[in-house]
């Protein structure tokens, strides 16, 4: 399965990275701009403070002047104390203004010029008041007139106005800057938000596309799986059909083979009967006509003839008997292959006890012990398992080591999906090269000193396979054998259907 | 017995037919044995050219039937005989190589009277047929209706 656009998968982290980058930039720019906006606000406030301070100063000067004037006119001491208060307020107000405008050289210049003018003014006030206190009214009045004549007052007012104008200009500039900054801040924020949104939309699309591709891939995978299952099912059905056909074939063939065998057997027996009759006739003929001395010789000849005849007949008969057994074996196998299984839960210990009781006389005769350990329950066909285990136990009993009392042990265990049974013996064992051969039909291994056609294990393996299981052997010559029967824990439909 | 029983032997293998006849004779049965090697010929004889079975009306028949025939299954012949209103009381002895339980059941279900498996061992075979012959000698066979 190939993905047509693998780069798309890597574009998502990229989008995410770009998004984070933009967020960080917006954060930095926002922090910077808001800091600037705060500073600009400070500056605006500062300007306002300066303006206020200028008017405060002017107010003090004017108050001092008017109280002084009042004193000069009325000579009232109340005015004098008010004047003192106002006059005392002027230097701190001036100092504060100077401090406030320290950042601005142009304003500083005005302030510097303002300082001596104010001092002069205060000195003039003080002189006039002194003159009044000394009752020198004329001098005081002259002083006042002189003061009025001077353009100090005018100059102070002018300076103050110019400073106020400068600050007003600054205020306008600073307000504009602040407005720009806030517009910039808004622009950065909105722009960033839009970019993030765009990125979000892009990544949503990307995710959708990947999801769609993944869904398609998944669907493809499911299709493939379903196809695979179908293919497996078809193959299984084919195999089952082929198997069934082989079994039908074996059945028919063995039947048809049996039929001529009946004739061979029958007419051989008839021949035997005729031989006896023929010999009897020869005998009677000879008795009637032959000379006595030849009789013994003739008897000898006839004896020899009868012997050879018997030998031939016996060979024919034993061959036919063997052939009949083989055909019966094939028939039995093919019939077993056609039998339908009926799975049921089986208590294996009970099943084995049943088998062991049927071989009791053999075990007693050979002094064999059969031990059945704890066995897991099986869900399978009872008759089939009986045949399997009785074959295995029969074999174990049949091929004991000479002179050694047999020990047969049946053990079992289970895995999540299988139940496994082992039939272990201490018998003569099987050469590893014969491990496959022993399961073949009509094939046997080792010393051929026991009766049998070589059917049992072939039958066992066929049965176990049909039960959905597996048959294994592990053995060494002279070391005993272990036959392992592995069965599925859960009876599956497939193996049931193969019985049909 | 007014009319002697005729034994109709349906057996495709002539060797078998011969061996069967020999052993029946050995049991002292001398009834006429009509052999057929194919199912078609046997049916023609049993049911007649019109297929009604009237041709054998009044004849006591005993059918000795093999199941494996070249042209049809002996089961079909059994069915036809037992379905025929004239022949249905005639005893049918199935003598075949099959010892399949299902097949045996089927034959009895269809009305077969005796089912015998041919043993391969000739002694047993001969013995079985002779027993059958003895059985033939004593059984009552009704004439076809």
């Amino acid at each position: 399965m190939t993905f047509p656009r693998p780069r798309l998968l890597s574009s998502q982290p990229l989008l995410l990275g770009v998004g984070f980058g933009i967020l960080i930039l917006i954060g930095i720019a926002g922090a910077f701009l808001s800091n600037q906006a705060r500073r600009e606000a400070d500056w605006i406030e500062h300007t306002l403070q300066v303006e206020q301070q200028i008017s405060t100063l002017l107010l003090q000067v004017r108050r001092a002047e008017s109280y002084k004037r009042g004193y000069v006119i009325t000579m009232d001491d109340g005015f004098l104390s008010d004047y003192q208060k106002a006059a005392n307020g002027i230097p701190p107000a001036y100092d504060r203004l100077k401090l406030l405008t320290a950042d601005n050289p142009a304003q500083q210049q005005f302030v510097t010029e303002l300082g001596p003018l104010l001092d002069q003014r205060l000195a003039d006030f003080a002189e006039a008041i002194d003159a009044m206190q000394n009752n020198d009214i004329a001098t005081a009045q002259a002083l006042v007139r002189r003061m009025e004549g001077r353009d100090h007052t005018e100059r102070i007012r002018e300076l103050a106005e110019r400073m106020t104008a400068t600050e007003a200009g600054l205020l306008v500039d600073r307000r504009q800057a602040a407005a720009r900054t806030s517009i910039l801040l808004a622009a950065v924020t909105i722009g960033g938000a839009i970019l993030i949104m765009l990125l979000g939309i892009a990544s949503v699309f990307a995710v959708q596309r990947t999801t769609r591709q993944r869904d398609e891939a998944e669907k493809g995978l499911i299709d493939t799986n379903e196809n695979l299952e179908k293919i497996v099912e078809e193959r299984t059905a084919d195999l089952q059909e082929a198997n069934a056909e082989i079994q039908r074939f074996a059945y028919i063939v063995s039947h048809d083979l049996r039929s001529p065998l009946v004739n061979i057997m029958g007419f051989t027996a008839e021949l035997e009967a005729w031989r006896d009759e023929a010999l009897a006739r020869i005998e009677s003929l000879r008795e009637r006509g032959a000379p006595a001395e030849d009789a013994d010789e003739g008897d000898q000849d006839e004896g020899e003839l009868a012997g050879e005849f018997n030998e031939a007949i016996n060979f024919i008969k034993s061959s036919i008997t063997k052939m009949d057994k083989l055909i019966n074996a094939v028939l039995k196998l093919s019939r077993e292959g056609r039998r339908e299984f009926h799975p049921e839960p089986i208590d294996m210990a009970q099943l084995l006890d049943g088998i062991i009781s049927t071989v009791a006389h053999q075990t007693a005769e050979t002094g064999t012990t059969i031990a059945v350990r704890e066995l897991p329950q099986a869900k399978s066909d009872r008759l089939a398992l009986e045949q399997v285990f009785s074959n295995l136990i029969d074999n174990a009993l049949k091929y004991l080591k000479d002179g050694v009392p047999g020990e047969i042990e049946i053990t079992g265990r289970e895995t999540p999906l299988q139940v496994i049974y082992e039939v272990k013996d201490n018998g003569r064992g099987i050469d590893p090269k014969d491990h496959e051969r022993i399961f073949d039909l009509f094939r046997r291994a080792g010393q051929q000193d026991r009766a049998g056609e070589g059917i049992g294990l072939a039958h066992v393996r066929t049965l176990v396979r049909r039960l959905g299981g597996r048959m294994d052997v592990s053995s060494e010559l002279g070391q005993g054998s272990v036959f392992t029967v592995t069965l599925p824990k859960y009876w599956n439909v497939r193996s049931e259907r193969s019985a049909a | 017995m007014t009319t002697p029983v005729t034994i109709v032997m349906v057996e495709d293998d002539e060797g078998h037919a011969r061996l069967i006849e020999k052993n029946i004779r050995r049991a002292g049965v001398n009834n006429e044995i009509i052999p057929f090697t194919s199912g078609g010929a046997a049916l023609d004889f049993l049911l007649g050219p019109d297929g009604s079975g009237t041709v054998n009306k009044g004849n006591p028949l005993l059918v000795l039937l093999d199941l494996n025939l070249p042209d049809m299954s002996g089961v079909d012949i059994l069915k036809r005989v037992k379905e025929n209103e004239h022949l249905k009381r005639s005893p049918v002895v199935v003598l075949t190589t099959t010892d399949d339980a299902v097949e045996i059941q089927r034959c009895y279900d269809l009305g077969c009277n005796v089912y015998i498996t041919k043993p391969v061992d000739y002694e047993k075979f001969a013995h079985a047929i002779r027993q059958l012959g003895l059985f033939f000698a004593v059984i009552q066979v009704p004439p076809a209706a």
Side-chain angles (χ1 to χ4, degrees):
Chain A
M1 186 103 303
T2 54
F3 293 92
R5 270 166 293 185
R7 272 170 56 217
L8 245 158
L9 286 173
S10 63
S11 78
Q12 273 175 351
L14 188 76
L15 277 175
L16 211 63
V18 170
F20 270 118
I22 288 173
L23 266 183
I24 289 167
L25 282 179
I26 289 171
I28 291 169
F32 175 76
L33 286 174
S34 56
N35 194 37
Q36 192 172 320
R38 191 179 50 77
R39 264 188 292 127
E40 277 162 0
D42 284 352
W43 278 118
I44 288 167
E45 201 200 329
H46 181 259
T47 306
L48 291 174
Q49 269 178 1
V50 171
E51 276 182 349
Q52 199 195 344
Q53 196 59 40
I54 291 166
S55 42
T56 305
L57 186 59
L58 271 183
L59 188 68
Q60 289 295 70
V61 172
R62 287 213 178 106
R63 277 171 74 194
E65 191 168 3
S66 62
Y67 289 140
K68 176 217 69 178
R69 219 179 264 147
Y71 181 69
V72 170
I73 294 165
T74 62
M75 286 290 286
D76 189 341
D77 279 352
F79 280 116
L80 189 64
S81 69
D82 281 342
Y83 163 76
Q84 278 306 335
K85 243 187 262 169
N88 287 344
I90 290 169
Y94 172 75
D95 287 347
R96 184 156 162 68
L97 182 64
K98 198 173 180 178
L99 201 69
L100 279 173
T101 55
D103 60 299
N104 192 327
Q107 295 288 64
Q108 201 69 49
Q109 215 179 322
F110 292 131
V111 170
T112 315
E113 197 184 330
L114 195 61
L117 287 174
L118 286 174
D119 288 345
Q120 182 64 52
R121 197 89 173 128
L122 278 177
D124 286 349
F125 289 168
E127 205 178 329
I129 286 169
D130 275 350
M132 281 304 291
Q133 275 171 339
N134 295 332
N135 287 327
D136 192 355
I137 295 166
T139 311
Q141 279 172 347
L143 272 170
V144 169
R145 225 174 282 123
R146 196 188 69 199
M147 263 188 276
E148 301 294 326
R150 277 194 200 164
D151 55 3
H152 278 168
T153 315
E154 199 54 35
R155 183 70 188 147
I156 286 169
R157 213 192 69 236
E158 197 188 326
L159 276 173
E161 268 171 13
R162 280 171 73 176
M163 279 183 79
T164 307
T166 309
E167 284 302 326
L170 276 174
L171 188 62
V172 169
D173 286 352
R174 283 171 183 172
R175 281 211 165 121
Q176 275 173 356
R180 271 201 305 277
T181 307
S182 61
I183 286 169
L184 201 62
L185 187 61
V188 164
T189 311
I190 291 169
I194 288 171
L195 264 177
I196 295 273
M197 259 158 66
L198 284 177
L199 273 175
I201 290 167
S203 54
V204 164
F205 273 118
V207 166
Q208 270 181 349
R209 203 140 76 181
T210 338
T211 310
R212 209 167 44 236
Q213 277 172 355
R214 204 202 49 216
D215 286 351
E216 275 167 19
E218 212 168 287
K219 203 168 152 276
L221 214 64
I222 288 168
D223 283 353
T224 315
N225 273 347
E226 276 174 0
N227 252 344
L228 215 64
E229 247 166 55
K230 211 184 267 172
I231 290 167
V232 168
E233 256 170 40
E234 276 170 14
R235 300 251 161 99
T236 313
D238 284 352
L239 278 177
Q240 281 167 359
E241 207 173 300
N243 196 32
E245 202 163 307
I246 287 170
Q247 276 163 1
R248 276 199 301 277
F249 176 74
Y251 192 73
I252 290 167
V253 163
S254 45
H255 255 111
D256 290 357
L257 286 178
R258 234 178 171 186
S259 197
L261 214 55
V262 172
N263 281 338
I264 298 170
M265 199 72 167
F267 286 103
T268 309
E270 293 292 333
L271 269 180
E272 218 175 354
W274 294 331
R275 176 208 63 174
D276 291 344
E277 213 172 298
L279 285 177
R281 272 191 205 173
I282 292 168
E283 186 83 0
S284 67
L285 281 175
R286 185 169 292 142
E287 264 170 27
R288 249 181 269 161
E293 65 265 25
D294 289 347
D296 282 352
E297 215 175 293
D299 273 355
Q300 229 171 2
D301 283 351
E302 281 154 33
E304 233 169 81
L305 200 66
E308 280 184 27
F309 203 101
N310 277 345
E311 196 189 20
I313 295 261
N314 283 341
F315 269 120
I316 293 171
K317 277 164 102 178
S318 69
S319 295
I320 294 166
T321 309
K322 195 173 173 194
M323 183 91 180
D324 184 43
K325 278 185 182 166
L326 297 184
I327 290 170
N328 279 338
V330 174
L331 260 179
K332 188 179 164 200
L333 274 182
S334 97
R335 204 169 289 163
E336 281 303 330
R338 288 141 71 100
R339 196 174 73 81
E340 237 176 274
F341 288 142
H342 302 287
E344 56 179 305
I346 296 167
D347 181 348
M348 290 302 289
Q350 203 186 336
L351 184 134
L352 284 164
D353 280 348
I355 295 169
I356 290 164
S357 67
T358 64
V359 294
H361 72 279
Q362 279 162 276
T363 46
E365 227 169 65
T366 54
T368 305
T369 54
I370 303 181
V372 179
R373 308 291 176 214
E374 203 172 307
L375 299 175
Q377 204 188 53
K379 188 172 192 313
S380 204
D381 183 80
R382 180 178 291 276
L383 190 59
L385 284 191
E386 268 173 11
Q387 288 175 338
V388 167
F389 285 99
S390 78
N391 259 300
L392 292 178
I393 291 170
D394 274 347
N395 274 354
L397 283 169
K398 202 160 151 186
Y399 301 106
L400 290 171
K401 218 182 314 186
D402 290 332
V404 180
E407 281 170 27
I408 299 170
E409 190 185 15
I410 298 149
T411 57
R413 62 201 149 91
E414 56 187 318
T415 69
L417 291 173
Q418 294 170 324
V419 280
I420 299 161
Y421 303 99
E422 288 185 340
V423 179
K424 185 179 169 194
D425 64 56
N426 64 340
R428 50 174 77 167
I430 303 151
D431 196 319
K433 73 175 164 54
D434 288 329
H435 283 183
E436 190 51 37
R437 186 183 150 82
I438 52 167
F439 291 110
D440 288 343
L441 190 58
F442 304 143
R443 298 286 173 271
R444 304 171 74 195
Q447 215 180 330
Q448 303 288 312
D449 59 347
R450 294 287 193 276
E453 282 86 43
I455 292 163
L457 284 176
H459 181 41
V460 164
R461 186 163 71 170
T462 310
L463 274 176
V464 172
R465 277 186 181 161
R466 285 194 57 222
L467 292 171
R470 205 178 66 232
M471 187 74 226
D472 295 294
V473 63
S474 86
S475 177
E476 288 288 334
L477 210 53
Q479 304 292 316
S481 317
V482 181
F483 284 91
T484 309
V485 181
T486 308
L487 294 172
K489 196 181 227 168
Y490 305 101
W491 183 266
N492 50 12
V493 187
R494 225 169 275 257
S495 57
E496 199 171 20
R497 212 169 25 183
S498 74
Chain B
M1 230 188 267
T2 47
T3 322
V5 178
T6 306
I7 297 171
V8 176
M9 181 166 65
V10 188
E11 170 64 70
D12 66 315
D13 189 311
E14 287 178 47
H16 284 206
R18 188 83 189 91
L19 290 174
I20 290 165
E21 196 183 343
K22 256 180 189 298
N23 285 288
I24 287 177
R25 297 280 179 240
R26 276 181 191 146
V29 175
N30 293 313
N31 299 51
E32 186 189 1
I33 296 176
I34 308 174
F36 295 96
T37 53
S38 76
L43 277 178
D44 281 348
F45 172 82
L46 285 168
L47 302 174
D50 58 349
S52 64
T54 41
V55 72
N56 279 312
K57 196 176 161 126
N59 294 339
L61 295 177
L62 190 148
V63 182
L64 204 52
L65 189 62
D66 185 16
L67 293 185
N68 303 310
L69 298 171
D71 55 345
M72 64 177 77
S73 165
V75 176
D76 295 332
I77 298 174
L78 173 66
K79 215 193 274 177
R80 295 283 291 276
V81 167
K82 287 300 172 186
E83 276 169 359
N84 188 283
E85 59 172 310
H86 303 291
L87 298 173
K88 64 183 176 192
R89 294 197 194 91
S90 302
V92 175
V93 176
V94 173
L95 183 60
T96 188
T97 42
T98 312
D99 59 353
D100 189 77
V102 178
E103 196 79 340
I104 295 169
Q105 262 179 24
R106 194 147 74 106
C107 286
Y108 279 114
D109 286 347
L110 288 171
C112 141
N113 302 82
V114 179
Y115 190 108
I116 296 167
T117 303
K118 288 179 196 165
V120 175
D121 182 276
Y122 185 65
E123 256 173 55
K124 285 183 196 155
F125 180 90
H127 182 68
I129 303 297
R130 274 199 293 271
Q131 299 273 338
L132 188 64
L134 292 173
F135 177 63
F136 286 170
V138 296
I139 94 175
Q140 287 289 340
V141 179

